[in-house]
Amino acid sequence: MTKTETKEKKNYHNVEIKIEGKEWEDALDKAFKEKVKKVNVDGFRKGKCPRNIYEKKFGKESLYLDGADIVLQDAYTKALEENNLVPVIQPEVNIKSIDDKAVTFTFKIITKPLVKVNKYKGLNIEPNEVSVSKEEIDHEIEHLLEQYEELVAKDENATIENGDVAIIDFEGFKDGVAFEGGKGENYSLEIGSNTFIPGFEEQLIGMKAGEEKEIKVMFPNDYMSEDLKGQEATFKVKVHEIKEKKQRELDEDFFFDLGIDGVNDEESLRKEIETNLKAHKEMDEENAYIDRLLDAVAKNVEVDIPEEMVNEEIDRLMKRMEQQLAMQGISLDLYYQISKSDEKDLRNHLEKDAYQNVLYRLMLEEIMNMEKIEVSSEEAIEEAKKLAEKYQMEQEVFLEQFGGLDMVQYDLEMRKTIELLKEANKASK
């Protein structure tokens, strides 16, 4: 049985589905067969207790929720098919009533809102020209020379100066007791890098190789360790060696160390840098251009985006951020500590991007329909093959991670739509 109610917003649908009769009886029977395998009933081996004995001991009600789980997907499919609905997010599901005769679900189903694109052609938007200046090339060369700097041991009578690298042993003590994580041996510390506790590196300046010293520091109030934040500590330090950085020259040895094919002098290096910088700038400009284009079209769009769609997109962005942080060995909880924020702050921060993502997606889908842009299965298969080769993956593995062939097809349709917008919005000459 189906009962459908539509809210004021035409894309909100409350659908009621009742599962009864043999379908519900079969679900309860299946629930019983799974439940009985996991319970102990005196006089019976696990899984061998008759249903009437089980229900006498545990009650019929103990099967209801498991039975509801069994028929839930079928009920949801009925709700969609019988009402010809295509959801844009997962539904809100509730059980209205349940007993040994039937279960009644209510589904809050949200479908795509009405999207009206008033203008998406003739907006006169084009990408900007990119160029690379001599100063930018000079900066990159300086960066490379710094990157390949050599560390040279200083004279035995030399003292530590800012910018030197000191090879040290150190051990930290709080109230005379060594604390965990406060010890290191033959540690290379660049003075002025500010990688140690404030005040530590500055107190090494002037020390010589072989010298030992006690250094007092104060841990910051926002230090990660609860035992050490805001506390005074003493470090015993011994200097083994002092090294200074030696600037490289644009000579044969430097070009050999670079190991770039075809680069063997300053002229060829400058050309290589110019080519790479221009390619990066063109890529950045292409992305910025698409953003400007989509933003311009979006100003001509009328749509009432459901809050639930934005919240689901926030969930997706948070999940992606969590995965990116995990690749750096950082958990979300640690991120909250470092950034002095919480989940609510992060969701608020992501809300604007989430809304924009949903808006652009709905807008492009509407333009795609208006322009009748389609991608065949054959095109999608060929694209999946190319992408799998690009990322050096088996095609099946790639499709599993990408979301399937339908997602490849959808992605291609979106890209074709963006290409159409580029052509349709070129400035008139």
Side-chain angles (χ1 to χ4, degrees):
M1 185 184 86
T2 304
K3 182 181 175 186
T4 307
E5 244 179 64
T6 302
K7 283 189 176 183
E8 262 183 49
K9 293 182 180 179
K10 292 183 179 179
N11 57 312
Y12 281 72
H13 312 269
N14 289 321
V15 181
E16 195 175 286
I17 294 288
K18 187 175 185 179
I19 304 295
E20 57 189 337
K22 188 174 185 307
E23 188 177 359
W24 181 233
E25 289 171 12
D26 290 345
L28 292 178
D29 189 50
K30 188 174 180 180
F32 162 71
K33 287 174 181 175
E34 289 301 314
K35 278 273 193 183
V36 78
K37 294 175 185 176
K38 303 169 186 174
V39 298
N40 294 310
V41 180
D42 292 341
F44 298 95
R45 286 181 293 139
K46 272 190 177 179
K48 300 299 179 182
C49 173
R51 183 166 170 179
N52 64 326
I53 302 296
Y54 170 90
E55 289 183 354
K56 188 174 181 181
K57 181 175 175 63
F58 298 102
K60 292 180 181 180
E61 297 82 3
S62 66
L63 302 176
Y64 291 170
L65 291 181
D66 285 39
D69 284 341
I70 290 167
V71 296
L72 176 59
Q73 187 56 50
D74 285 343
Y76 181 45
T77 301
K78 283 182 184 178
L80 298 179
E81 290 178 350
E82 292 178 9
N83 295 279
N84 196 27
L85 300 176
V86 179
V88 288
I89 61 170
Q90 290 298 312
E92 182 184 307
V93 185
N94 288 294
I95 295 176
K96 182 179 180 181
S97 63
I98 189 168
D99 55 30
D100 61 339
K101 303 295 183 188
V103 58
T104 301
F105 296 100
T106 58
F107 296 96
K108 178 183 175 183
I109 300 170
I110 300 175
T111 55
K112 185 185 290 188
L114 178 66
V115 183
K116 188 177 179 183
V117 184
N118 295 313
K119 184 177 182 182
Y120 61 96
K121 294 180 179 180
L123 297 173
N124 296 337
I125 297 172
E126 288 195 344
N128 297 318
E129 291 291 330
V130 301
S131 61
V132 178
S133 69
K134 176 182 178 298
E135 290 73 23
E136 287 174 312
I137 297 173
D138 289 342
H139 177 77
E140 285 301 309
I141 290 176
E142 285 299 316
H143 180 66
L144 278 174
L145 289 170
E146 285 177 13
Q147 210 176 335
Y148 282 84
E149 278 178 336
E150 294 177 331
L151 284 176
V152 180
K154 294 179 78 170
D155 184 85
E156 59 182 13
N157 293 317
T159 60
I160 295 175
E161 297 177 57
N162 200 40
D164 287 345
V165 173
I167 314 302
I168 62 172
D169 291 344
F170 63 87
E171 186 170 14
F173 298 83
K174 178 191 161 192
D175 298 328
V177 180
F179 54 82
E180 188 178 352
K183 185 175 182 179
E185 294 181 350
N186 291 313
Y187 186 90
S188 294
L189 175 62
E190 181 180 343
I191 310 304
S193 63
N194 298 317
T195 52
F196 265 40
I197 305 152
F200 185 97
E201 295 170 23
E202 292 87 341
Q203 293 183 64
L204 296 182
I205 293 174
M207 290 182 70
K208 294 181 178 181
E211 189 177 343
E212 296 183 30
K213 184 178 180 180
E214 286 193 359
I215 289 174
K216 287 188 177 180
V217 296
M218 186 72 73
F219 279 91
N221 290 325
D222 59 355
Y223 195 69
M224 285 183 290
S225 170
E226 288 292 333
D227 293 334
L228 295 174
K229 61 171 56 176
Q231 299 294 309
E232 187 178 73
T234 300
F235 281 87
K236 292 181 179 179
V237 181
K238 180 176 181 180
V239 179
H240 289 294
E241 191 178 8
I242 307 168
K243 296 181 178 181
E244 62 181 343
K245 293 177 180 179
K246 182 183 177 184
Q247 180 77 39
R248 296 293 297 271
E249 300 291 334
L250 292 173
D251 54 21
E252 189 176 329
D253 289 339
F254 175 71
F255 295 119
F256 178 81
D257 289 344
L258 276 182
I260 302 174
D261 287 342
V263 174
N264 48 30
D265 57 21
E266 184 177 352
E267 184 182 355
S268 56
L269 175 60
R270 296 184 78 88
K271 285 182 179 176
E272 177 75 12
I273 290 172
E274 182 178 14
T275 300
N276 290 338
L277 280 177
K278 191 169 185 182
H280 282 297
K281 282 189 165 190
E282 285 173 345
M283 188 181 300
D284 290 342
E285 172 54 27
E286 173 69 5
N287 292 331
Y289 163 54
I290 292 172
D291 284 342
R292 292 197 303 272
L293 183 57
L294 295 179
D295 183 58
V297 177
K299 287 181 171 65
N300 297 285
V301 173
E302 295 176 41
V303 60
D304 185 5
I305 298 177
E307 182 183 347
E308 293 87 347
M309 286 185 76
V310 178
N311 286 333
E312 187 170 82
E313 179 64 10
I314 292 173
D315 291 340
R316 189 189 71 80
L317 292 177
M318 284 188 68
K319 188 68 179 174
R320 186 177 70 180
M321 182 175 175
E322 187 175 12
Q323 291 168 345
Q324 290 171 341
L325 288 170
M327 291 172 69
Q328 303 171 47
I330 301 173
S331 67
L332 261 184
D333 286 339
L334 181 56
Y335 168 80
Y336 292 143
Q337 288 180 38
I338 295 169
S339 61
K340 296 183 176 63
S341 63
D342 55 23
E343 183 179 338
K344 183 180 178 182
D345 294 328
L346 180 57
R347 293 187 72 86
N348 288 338
H349 175 71
L350 294 172
E351 185 175 5
K352 183 179 177 182
D353 285 344
Y355 180 89
Q356 185 182 77
N357 290 351
V358 175
L359 171 61
Y360 286 177
R361 187 166 69 239
L362 291 170
M363 174 182 83
L364 288 169
E365 286 174 357
E366 181 61 19
I367 295 169
M368 186 196 310
N369 292 333
M370 291 165 73
E371 294 287 341
K372 297 181 173 54
I373 293 173
E374 293 180 352
V375 170
S376 67
S377 297
E378 291 74 21
E379 285 180 277
I381 291 168
E382 185 60 31
E383 179 68 9
K385 184 181 176 182
K386 287 179 185 175
L387 290 171
E389 288 174 357
K390 177 181 176 181
Y391 295 112
Q392 298 180 333
M393 298 169 69
E394 292 292 329
Q395 192 167 326
E396 287 184 11
V397 176
F398 166 77
L399 283 172
E400 185 179 339
Q401 292 190 10
F402 196 79
L405 194 62
D406 286 346
M407 188 57 70
V408 174
Q409 197 166 358
Y410 178 80
D411 186 61
L412 261 179
E413 288 169 343
M414 283 292 191
R415 280 191 272 154
K416 282 190 173 186
T417 306
I418 290 172
E419 288 304 315
L420 179 143
L421 288 176
K422 287 181 185 178
E423 287 300 315
N425 288 288
K426 284 182 176 178
S428 53
K429 302 297 182 183

